C-alpha cells in the first residue's frame, strides 16, 4: 500500500476485488484516507465502469442506522480471450473477468506448422467465439496464451522449446495481437504468454486451493512440466525456466527431443509411453492416444502408465522435499489411476515423512479447462494490478 494520502484508485480497486474492504467506510479504515478522497478515487472507477454498488451490508454501529452500501468489481464491462496450445490440439475461449467460460472451442492445431499459421488460426477462432458468446471485439481487454514450452515472460517469447520447432524467439505477442485485429477489425489488445503447466497451476490453485501457500502441478502429456504457485503468485525462476522437470536426467539411455539422453520426458511422458506401446504393436502415436487407451482399460497401457508414474514419483520426491508444497496435483493425458498409483508408490517411499506429512496428492479439478482459466486469470491480474489501473484510467480520460 502506498503512503497515506498517496493511495491510488488502483489500490482501492484491489481492496474491493480481494474482499478486504468492500464499503466506503472500510476503505477509509484500511487506507487512512478521508471520506472525500475515497469518494474522488471511487468516482474514477465508477466512471470507467469497473465498480458498481451492490446490496447493503450489515449495520456496524450498535445504534443502528442505514446499512452500508457494498462495492463490487463489475465484471460485465469487458471480456478476456484465452487459448491453450498443445502440440497437435488447442482450446480457446471467451471468459468473463471473474473466470467464467462464456464460449469455448477445441480443435486440431499443429505447432509444427509454425507460429505464423497457428496464431493466425487462433485469431480466426477468437472472432468466431466472440460472435458465439454475443460479445463485441471492442469489449476484449486482453488475450492470454498457454504454450508447451519455456517462456521468457518479459518478452513473451519461447526459449529453445524442445517440442515447438520454429517457435524459438518468435514474437508471439505481436503476431497474436495482429491476428486478433485481422479477424475482428478491433484495435490490438495486450497479449500475455506463459508456459502451459504454469497457467494450469495458476488456474487450479486459484479455483480450488486459494489458501494453499505452496502449490505444485505436474502436467504429463507429450512432455512433462511443472507449475509452481507460491503465496498466490507463479514462481517462474530467473527467465521462465522453473518447473521444467521433464529434462531432469534419470539415468536412462533414451534420447529426448531436446537432444540429450536420459531425460525424464524421454522415458515417462505420454509420448514415451505411446512409443513403447507402438513398439509392441499397439496403435498409439501421442499422449492423447494413451489417454484413450487408459480410459478403455487397456492392460498394457495401464502397466506402462504405472511404470511411468513410478519414474515421475521418484523425481517428485526431490521436488516435494525442496518445495514442501501443501498440494501436489497431477494433470495431463496420463493423470489417471494407474499413473497416480505409480507416483504415490515412489513419492512416499523416497521422500522424507516430514515432507509429505501435510501433502495432498490430487488430480486436476478443472480438467482440460485449467490452462484457459489460468490464462484468463493472468490477464485480469495483469490489467487490474494497481499500477496498471492508474495508467488505464488516465488513458480513458477519467
Amino acid at each position: 500500500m502506498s503512503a497515506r494520502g498517496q493511495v491510488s484508485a488502483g489500490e482501492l480497486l484491489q481492496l474491493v476485488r480481494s474482499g478486504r474492504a468492500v464499503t466506503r467506510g472500510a476503505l477509509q479504515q484500511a487506507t487512512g484516507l478521508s471520506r472525500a478522497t475515497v469518494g474522488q478515487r471511487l468516482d474514477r472507477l465508477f466512471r470507467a465502469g469497473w465498480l458498481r454498488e451492490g446490496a447493503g451490508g450489515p449495520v456496524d454501529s450498535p445504534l443502528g442506522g442505514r446499512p452500508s452500501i457494498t462495492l463490487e468489481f463489475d465484471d460485465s464491462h469487458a471480456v478476456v480471450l484465452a487459448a491453450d496450445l498443445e502440440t497437435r490440439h488447442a482450446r480457446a475461449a471467451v471468459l468473463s473477468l471473474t473466470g467464467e467460460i462464456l464460449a469455448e472451442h477445441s480443435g486440431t492445431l499443429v505447432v509444427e506448422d509454425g507460429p505464423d499459421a497457428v496464431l493466425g488460426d487462433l485469431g480466426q477462432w477468437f472472432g468466431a467465439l466472440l460472435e458465439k458468446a454475443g460479445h463485441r471485439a471492442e469489449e476484449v481487454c486482453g488475450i492470454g496464451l498457454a504454450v508447451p514450452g519455456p517462456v521468457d515472460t518479459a518478452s513473451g517469447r519461447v526459449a529453445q522449446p524442445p517440442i515447438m520447432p520454429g517457435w524459438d524467439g518468435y514474437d508471439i505477442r505481436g503476431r497474436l495481437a495482429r491476428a486478433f485485429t485481422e479477424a475482428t477489425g478491433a484495435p490490438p489488445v495486450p497479449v500475455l504468454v506463459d508456459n502451459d503447466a504454469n497457467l494450469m497451476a495458476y488456474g487450479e490453485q486459484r479455483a480450488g486451493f486459494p489458501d494453499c501457500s505452496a502449490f505444485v502441478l505436474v502436467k504429463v502429456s507429450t512432455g512433462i512440466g511443472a507449475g509452481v504457485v507460491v503465496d498466490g503468485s507463479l514462481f517462474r525462476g530467473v527467465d521462465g525456466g522453473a518447473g521444467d522437470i521433464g529434462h531432469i536426467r534419470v539415468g536412462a539411455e533414451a534420447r529426448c527431443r531436446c537432444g540429450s539422453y536420459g531425460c525424464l520426458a524421454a522415458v515417462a511422458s505420454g509420448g514415451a509411453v505411446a512409443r513403447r506401446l507402438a513398439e509392441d504393436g499397439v496403435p498409439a502415436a501421442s499422449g492423447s492416444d494413451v489417454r484413450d487407451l487408459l480410459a478403455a482399460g487397456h492392460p498394457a497401457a495401464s502397466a506402462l502408465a504405472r511404470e511411468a508414474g513410478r519414474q515421475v514419483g521418484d523425481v517428485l520426491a526431490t521436488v516435494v522435499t525442496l518445495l514442501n508444497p501443501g498440494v501436489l496435483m497431477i494433470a495431463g493425458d496420463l493423470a489417471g489411476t494407474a499413473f497416480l498409483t505409480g507416483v504415490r508408490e515412489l513419492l512416499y517411499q523416497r521422500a522424507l515423512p516430514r515432507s509429505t506429512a501435510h501433502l495432498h496428492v490430487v488430480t486436476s479439478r478443472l480438467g482440460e479447462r485449467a490452462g484457459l482459466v489460468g490464462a484468463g486469470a493472468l490477464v485480469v491480474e495483469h490489467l487490474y494490478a494497481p499500477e496498471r489501473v492508474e495508467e488505464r484510467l488516465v488513458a480513458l480520460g477519467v
Side-chain angles (χ1 to χ4, degrees), residues 38-322:
V38 166
Q40 290 168 357
R41 303 278 199 274
L42 292 179
D43 182 60
R44 300 177 68 201
L45 296 170
F46 279 114
R47 282 187 284 145
W50 298 354
L51 273 189
R52 65 187 171 204
E53 291 186 339
V59 177
D60 296 329
S61 170
L63 300 177
R66 294 170 58 187
S68 301
I69 299 299
T70 59
L71 302 170
E72 300 174 349
F73 180 58
D74 189 343
D75 70 335
S76 66
H77 69 271
V79 293
V80 175
L81 296 173
D84 186 2
L85 186 62
E86 299 185 357
T87 53
R88 305 189 63 81
H89 183 267
R91 304 182 76 86
V94 182
L95 296 93
S96 74
L97 297 182
T98 51
E100 178 188 358
I101 293 181
L102 306 176
E104 184 178 6
H105 174 73
S106 63
T108 300
L109 278 184
V110 181
V111 293
E112 291 185 354
D113 289 344
D116 186 65
V118 169
L119 298 175
D121 286 344
L122 277 181
Q124 296 297 321
W125 285 19
F126 286 148
L129 280 168
L130 285 166
E131 185 174 343
K132 180 180 178 181
H135 284 275
R136 295 176 295 108
E138 289 74 17
E139 295 177 77
V140 175
C141 64
I143 300 172
L145 176 64
V147 297
V151 177
D152 176 1
T153 51
S155 67
R157 300 171 188 246
V158 291
Q160 300 177 346
I163 58 176
M164 298 179 72
W167 290 70
D168 185 22
Y170 185 85
D171 180 16
I172 296 175
R173 293 194 304 209
R175 176 65 183 107
L176 190 51
R178 292 194 304 274
F180 168 73
T181 297
E182 291 164 1
T184 65
V189 296
V191 175
L192 274 69
V193 184
D194 211 325
N195 170 262
D196 54 357
N198 280 351
L199 292 181
M200 290 175 69
Y202 197 51
E204 294 276 11
Q205 188 270 339
R206 290 172 62 85
F209 302 90
D211 297 325
C212 180
S213 60
F215 178 96
V216 176
L217 177 143
V218 178
K219 179 184 180 183
V220 187
S221 291
T222 300
I224 301 175
V228 180
V229 182
V230 177
D231 291 333
S233 298
L234 279 168
F235 178 76
R236 300 184 177 93
V238 174
D239 58 8
D244 202 3
I245 65 170
H247 299 288
I248 292 175
R249 299 290 296 276
V250 294
E253 294 301 318
R255 183 178 175 84
C256 182
R257 294 183 67 171
C258 74
S260 296
Y261 288 87
C263 294
L264 180 64
V267 295
S269 65
V273 172
R275 285 193 297 274
R276 292 187 61 182
L277 287 168
E279 289 169 0
D280 292 337
V282 179
S286 66
S288 60
D289 292 336
V290 178
R291 178 190 61 207
D292 294 341
L293 289 168
L294 291 172
H298 193 283
S302 297
L304 288 174
R306 182 167 179 170
E307 180 184 338
R310 288 171 57 84
Q311 292 168 312
V312 172
D314 197 7
V315 170
L316 289 180
T318 300
V319 172
V320 165
T321 301
L322 177 65

